[in-house]
Amino acid sequence: MNSTTLATPSTATSDARPVHGRRRRSPGWFLISPSVTLLLIWMLVPLAMTVYFSVIRYNLLYPGERGFVGLENFHYFLTDAGFIPGMTNTLILVGGVLLISVVLGVLISALLEAAEFPGRGLVRVMLISPFFIMPTVSALIWKNLIFHPVSGVLAALWKFFGAQPVDWLAQHPMASIVIIVSWQWLPFAILILMTAMQSLDQEQKEAARLDGAGPLAIFWHLTLPHLARPIAVVVMIEMIFLLSVFAEIFTTTSGGPGYASTNLAYLIYTQALLQFDVGMASAGGLIAVVIANIAAILLVRMLGKNLTEKH
């Protein structure tokens, strides 16, 4: 019995070692290597070409001139007349859309969670549906059906009250872009925040009500702290995408009047496809990538800190 008992662990160990060895020699790394290699090529080749174009004089109007210019393209892009307005408009766009989508997203989600009425499921679907509309289609709807100074809905409303219709895209171009993009991204915030509210502990809310807490106190002390992490996720994801907004500006204002609604993405487009300066546009693209990565790193650190503090 003793010999059998002692031999059992030895046998189990000897059986386990080949299994562990087989796991080490598993062909999993070989199977995923083509996809990883393809992904690296997909990322590195365009980046390398952009870096190459950014340090040469590459203007499509002068195809024979492709000399090395170093950081000259970066200097010209940073000192271009549209760079400061483009940066300012990018910050206004990102900040305005984040403010509108987060504030309205929290309020609408809280109201939908607290209210009980027939057709609440249909209302939720309708609130989320704008997120699935293509940006170009959304911009055309707002441009021709809502903001149009003659036949738009707002123009008819202004005329109904005896006021002069406003040409929103000409007089308030950046505010119009912020409204259009906010309408597209608000459903995303509502979707994330409504989902997060489903996990809110109802027993805490009932206990708070029994202690005499009103709806505002429950919202401020229970709902908002519970939504801290979802709000951080919404801010991080939206900011990364909002830095590259292009279709809405191209479809509605074309960056104008002047540089009034030009952001960095549209400025790079004008350099590349309107002025045919591929070198300067490549330099601008790298600058935009650096700015986007800095913003993403800061947001990821803030989100990680938020998650750590909550745990």
Side-chain angles (χ1 to χ4, degrees):
M1 292 295 293
N2 293 337
S3 61
T4 305
T5 306
L6 294 175
T8 302
S10 175
T11 306
T13 305
S14 61
D15 291 340
R17 286 175 182 173
V19 172
H20 185 65
R22 287 197 298 271
R23 287 179 180 176
R24 285 189 174 182
R25 292 192 295 269
S26 174
W29 64 269
F30 180 75
L31 295 176
I32 66 172
S33 58
S35 59
V36 174
T37 304
L38 181 61
L39 180 61
L40 289 176
I41 294 174
W42 188 272
M43 296 171 56
L44 293 179
V45 171
L47 179 61
M49 294 179 64
T50 304
V51 173
Y52 170 71
F53 289 140
S54 67
V55 295
I56 65 173
R57 182 178 290 107
Y58 189 12
N59 193 307
L60 298 179
L61 298 177
Y62 308 99
E65 299 181 7
R66 296 192 182 180
F68 178 78
V69 295
L71 300 178
E72 185 176 307
N73 288 323
F74 294 89
H75 172 73
Y76 284 147
F77 186 83
L78 292 174
T79 56
D80 186 83
F83 177 73
I84 298 299
M87 276 294 301
T88 304
N89 291 332
T90 301
L91 294 176
I92 292 174
L93 177 62
V94 173
V97 174
L98 286 178
L99 180 64
I100 293 173
S101 60
V102 170
V103 173
L104 291 183
V106 170
L107 294 178
I108 294 174
S109 301
L111 288 175
L112 285 176
E113 182 67 20
E116 290 286 347
F117 56 90
R120 187 170 66 167
L122 179 61
V123 171
R124 288 178 176 176
V125 173
M126 293 178 63
L127 286 172
I128 298 172
S129 59
F131 185 66
F132 302 101
I133 299 177
M134 290 182 293
T136 305
V137 176
S138 172
L140 287 173
I141 291 173
W142 279 88
K143 178 181 180 181
N144 297 317
L145 299 181
I146 300 177
F147 285 149
H148 198 280
V150 177
S151 59
V153 174
L154 293 181
L157 186 63
W158 260 239
K159 292 177 183 178
F160 178 79
F161 289 103
Q164 182 68 26
V166 178
D167 190 352
W168 288 90
L169 295 175
Q171 299 177 18
H172 309 285
M174 203 61 227
S176 303
I177 299 297
V178 169
I179 293 173
I180 294 172
V181 180
S182 299
W183 183 77
Q184 293 175 333
W185 281 97
L186 177 59
F188 173 77
I190 293 175
L191 177 63
I192 298 297
L193 296 174
M194 277 198 310
T195 304
M197 284 190 177
Q198 303 299 321
S199 61
L200 181 61
D201 190 357
Q202 298 299 321
E203 294 182 358
Q204 291 184 354
K205 295 176 66 174
E206 292 297 331
R209 290 192 185 97
L210 293 176
D211 291 338
L216 291 179
I218 294 175
F219 174 77
W220 185 260
H221 294 287
L222 290 180
T223 305
L224 274 184
H226 179 74
L227 294 178
R229 283 178 287 179
I231 289 174
V233 173
V234 169
V235 170
M236 181 182 68
I237 295 176
E238 286 194 8
M239 177 173 284
I240 294 174
F241 282 94
L242 292 174
L243 289 171
S244 59
V245 169
F246 172 78
E248 295 84 350
I249 298 175
F250 177 80
T251 306
T252 55
T253 63
S254 297
Y259 293 111
S261 59
T262 297
N263 64 347
L264 280 181
Y266 194 84
L267 181 62
I268 294 170
Y269 159 77
T270 59
Q271 294 290 347
L273 298 180
L274 298 184
Q275 301 182 22
F276 304 104
D277 195 338
V278 178
M280 189 183 296
S282 300
L286 292 177
I287 293 173
V289 168
V290 171
I291 294 174
N293 277 276
I294 292 174
I297 291 172
L298 293 176
L299 285 171
V300 167
R301 289 186 176 181
M302 291 172 57
L303 179 59
K305 183 179 178 181
N306 190 313
L307 293 174
T308 303
E309 289 177 351
K310 292 299 176 183
H311 286 295

